[in-house]
Amino acid sequence: MADQNTVESKPEQSLPERPKDAPADEAGAAGAEGDKGPSKSALKKAAKEKEKAEKAAKRKAAEEAQKKQQEGSDVSREDYGDLPMIGSLEYKPSGVKRVTLAQIAEKYNETTPFDEAGGVDVCFRAVVENARNQSAKLSFLVFRETLNTIQAVVAASDTLSRQMVKFAGSINAESIVLVHGLVKKTPEPVKSATISHLEIHVKKIYVVAKADSQLPMQVQDAERPLPLEGEEAKEDESGRPIVTLNTRLNNRVIDLRGKHNRAIFAIKDGVTALFQEFLRGHGFIGIQTPKLLGAPSEGGANVFEVGYFATKAFLAQSPQLYKQMLIASRFERVMEVGPVFRAENSNTARHLTEFTGLDLEMAFEEDYHEVVEVLENLMLYIFNGLRTKYKRETDLVRSIYHVDEFKLPEAGNVPRIPFSEGIQMLRDDGLEIGDYDDLSTPDEKRLGALVLKKYGSDFYVLDQFPLNIRPFYTMPSHTAPAHTEGAKDPNAGYSNSYDFFMRGQEILSGAQRIHDADFLCKRMKEHVTPCDPNSDGLRDYVNAFRYGCPPHAGGGIGLERIVMLWLGLPNVRLASLFPRDPNRVMP
Amino acid sequence: MADQNTVESKPEQSLPERPKDAPADEAGAAGAEGDKGPSKSALKKAAKEKEKAEKAAKRKAAEEAQKKQQEGSDVSREDYGDLPMIGSLEYKPSGVKRVTLAQIAEKYNETTPFDEAGGVDVCFRAVVENARNQSAKLSFLVFRETLNTIQAVVAASDTLSRQMVKFAGSINAESIVLVHGLVKKTPEPVKSATISHLEIHVKKIYVVAKADSQLPMQVQDAERPLPLEGEEAKEDESGRPIVTLNTRLNNRVIDLRGKHNRAIFAIKDGVTALFQEFLRGHGFIGIQTPKLLGAPSEGGANVFEVGYFATKAFLAQSPQLYKQMLIASRFERVMEVGPVFRAENSNTARHLTEFTGLDLEMAFEEDYHEVVEVLENLMLYIFNGLRTKYKRETDLVRSIYHVDEFKLPEAGNVPRIPFSEGIQMLRDDGLEIGDYDDLSTPDEKRLGALVLKKYGSDFYVLDQFPLNIRPFYTMPSHTAPAHTEGAKDPNAGYSNSYDFFMRGQEILSGAQRIHDADFLCKRMKEHVTPCDPNSDGLRDYVNAFRYGCPPHAGGGIGLERIVMLWLGLPNVRLASLFPRDPNRVMP
């Protein structure tokens, strides 16, 4: 809504007049007639369309004639109808201030008295969630705006014609309307609307943008839960068939209209805003690292190749090397919110080929746990921000998926568990696992349950991962053989690295990085997947550490994962506006 | 610097001891010896490297022996030297609080009295900007930290050895050091340092990370201005050769260390933060639209093709279609900060193949100028934010490029000039130009100068551009023939579109978009570059408007352009951390 909006509506001065001669949906008909047939193959189609349009035009002409005759006896004829497309007529300010449903709900709340009998004049634009003709003299509508809905009645009277009642009750769901009406208290709460104590008595109603009568799916379909992973529900509790995820994603524009989707993406933006807010307040500077790289740098697999003029380029799998180079450039503390690309052919509920990385890197003074502490505080800041500022959205989504409250550690003491202790907890629980084995997803979830039981927290840190399962740039622990010349197994032992978990699933991965060029070269060569420090993709990176670079550590967070795990969504795709996976790049 | 830092430094308790037996740069030598020779072609090289390393090891052993002998008689032997790589030894907290140069400058400022004679103990990590041995008993260093520099003296005394003086004065520039010393007032201002009223009397100095003695370029080289477009300076006023842009970008990690670069990217992040702050405060939600698209959607040229598993994908040239689809999804007000990709083979000072788009889109009520007003207020908010919060950074960069103050309109009245009036202004100035011609870059700059003269503002809006030079989704003016069925020239006339300018160069382009599917199809077919509404890349987009979509408008802003024009930089590459153009995808 425009800035100058207030809840008061002025006396109506100069409403946009519906031109009598120009049919309101003229633009629609023009679509076919204005066709010049840009290609030969389209000519046949165009001819058909023309024929169709001519038929439609005839039909419309007849309807128009009938309508005009009726209008003669219609006291409400100026008070309803289809508006001409906004922008197609000269703009004449109406002078009527518009309000939002949220403003209405806030101002005329259950405790504030207002003129209940007469009602209060308001004007607003909203979506028609549904409309029905109760009788020839009475129609009901439900209007929607973001998370709010309100009921409206259109009742025939001396000043409101039956034609108008019929028009209002016949508006296609999902159409956009402009409404003038009176806000009144309802005799009893309206269960079907979120603003249940008020209703709108419609005085005028105009269609701003018409929706087709047949939509490929219904918004209500979008608002029902998907089956959880492993489940295979075909209908919900009330027996209605569940629209599959595939259908929803194919019709994402309608799917996203569901209230829970509004909530999911409000929360997603909230996480981003809280991330930036916290870090800017702690001296981090926002950066944009390149997504087009001249060579694959973080392992050749899983990278998308791009045609780049006469040569080729590759899509960045993370800002890792660049954010470190910026530490070497004296930036001290950097953060980035941006897309990352993974050409991994994984078709699971947890993988996307394009997602949003929340990345950060910082120089530290004496020990990498200074960075771990910043990261822990960052995550607690985000969780607490979500709990307070996005409670309504969180509750709305969790109510659909019946998810437990997310348990935060008491007094901010995040469990920081050495990897070796995590292994011991799993062994004590009966799992057979080696000291330096990577944790499988089920193992991680099992450990998550054990940690929740022991520490009472859904959020925790595993510290000191085995060196052999971390990238080449990871700083080995001071106890690791890698620090000794001529070590038998330079990949043995632990590393100064950590993962952060929510409900037993990883959301953040990070480490102290090697800031010494010679040691970095050594590690690149002896790593389990060796790489060449002189290769095109790594030369500049390695050299950066020859120019004097402070010790530093950082981490990368998967934004969609945080949203998924905070809300308990069954699929990470639900946390992406237009998700990409190996089989989907549209819409 | 870590959160808990204060300016006070506690009595030193347990400084990390330099282990006598482990040479500090052990890790460096290990690089070659740990080499396993991952490929045959590298074997010869490895052999050479080994020989080199052995020689170096011998040399070092001799040096070590000499050093040990000297240390016996060195009273300062615990107070200087190379620290072991942080992370390679067990962490023992020093208990010494570290401060920043900024905190020192703020606390001990020119008006606050402090113990000038005795000085105040501080400990900090900093970069050595330069170091020199004045005599056997005296060395001078300059330390740098972001935009601040401070001078330091190391003077021999009963408790500070000549060996330490020599060590300190010989530290390679750009090395990172840990310093313990006394802050004292200087007898007279130090011209070579930004903190000119204070200096550090060094008591201890350790090298945290050594820089190579020979760097590919000097940081001072980066701090001199590039020649402006068209100029061809080979040396600056003092006669030093100017390092070319190409060399700077090839060594971007060093180049970015220049203070002006710190300032440029602080300002860049400032623009982003101000953009998000203003829009979040006005009900906008941050979004992430996909960068990988299943089909090229905004014209087939200038788009990068990506190998996508068995098929292909394309990199988004803008979030245009997706942000509109989100308006159709009821998001009302959306914004995005993200990379955009243009495969345009333009090698100018104004083009990049990857840059950062600040995009927004919003539904409006009656007229698209509601959106223009939000955009104007947004830009004024950004400019005023830069003027107040980033004054130091702005002045620093502008002083290098001798750029005039950016003139803002008085009382926030942004000149909003109809395109036709702009054409008339140019004609009155002697230019021959048609009513509906697009403006060339020189024309735009000429108009910028005319507008500055007439309105006293470097910031202005051109409104109502000719329809035939705007994209297919642009809403034609109400006067445009496109709204009439069977119009002779449906691309004639004007459109509800606008560009925003800074110093005569476009920074924002936007318009009211067509929100009616049938009219959109008509325009797609009759556009000067027709496109097919049923094509893979456009079908979902067109359909979005069949489901009821409110009138909306928006714009896209080039972040790097704002930074360039605000500061008067001669090349847009200077506003990108790692710029991409047709000839550059590295580093």
Side-chain angles (χ1 to χ4, degrees), chain B residues 240-286:
Chain B
R240 286 180 304 187
I242 286 187
V243 177
T244 64
L245 179 60
N246 213 32
T247 302
R248 292 183 190 199
L249 295 180
N250 284 342
N251 299 286
R252 190 63 162 160
V253 167
I254 299 176
D255 187 43
L256 285 172
R257 292 178 180 180
K259 282 194 281 289
H260 68 293
N261 267 329
R262 287 285 314 190
I264 287 171
F265 292 98
I267 286 169
K268 190 176 183 183
D269 186 43
V271 174
T272 312
L274 292 162
F275 174 86
Q276 293 175 324
E277 198 172 280
F278 179 89
L279 293 177
R280 285 209 173 98
H282 284 74
F284 283 76
I285 184 174

Side-chain angles (χ1 to χ4, degrees), chain A residues 15-26 64 67-68 71 77-78 80-86 88-90 92 206:
Chain A
L15 265 175
E17 279 188 33
R18 195 157 41 100
K20 301 263 153 44
D21 302 326
D25 48 353
E26 164 195 64
E64 282 295 321
K67 204 170 160 191
K68 267 195 188 165
E71 275 176 357
R77 69 180 182 279
E78 299 295 336
Y80 69 95
D82 295 341
L83 287 185
M85 182 172 65
I86 288 181
S88 66
L89 292 183
E90 191 179 1
K92 290 178 187 153
Y206 306 98

